Amino acid sequence: MVRSIIVDDELKSRESLRILIEEFCEGVEVNALCQNVAEAIEAIDQFKPEVVFLDIHLQRETGFDLLT
């Protein structure tokens, strides 16, 4: 099973992507839904995901802030 997390500041986008992954991506498990960089860092430390679905434009941050 491939572990993944979703990082997006919009609840509808997080939920929609989670549903699509669960429906069409057999073998991919969504372990966390995060709305900001701080939550994403915590989820990455906890779940050690192999894939991060990362929105570029977050509220006061960007997805690139997570990468640095």
Side-chain angles (χ1 to χ4, degrees):
M1 189 65 79
V2 176
R3 293 178 309 275
S4 71
I5 66 170
I6 297 171
V7 183
D8 196 312
D9 57 328
E10 296 178 23
L11 177 60
K12 266 190 156 173
S13 295
R14 288 192 306 269
E15 286 296 326
S16 296
L17 183 54
R18 180 188 59 79
I19 290 167
L20 289 170
I21 291 168
E22 288 175 354
E23 189 169 334
F24 296 106
C25 300
E26 187 176 324
V28 178
E29 176 182 34
V30 177
N31 296 109
L33 302 175
C34 307
Q35 64 181 349
N36 57 46
V37 170
E39 286 183 10
I41 290 170
E42 198 172 299
I44 290 169
D45 288 342
Q46 180 179 355
F47 297 107
K48 309 288 190 245
E50 296 155 307
V51 176
V52 176
F53 296 94
L54 180 59
D55 185 16
I56 297 301
H57 298 286
L58 302 170
Q59 288 289 331
R60 293 188 257 320
E61 306 163 303
T62 71
F64 295 110
D65 294 327
L66 178 61
L67 301 176
T68 58

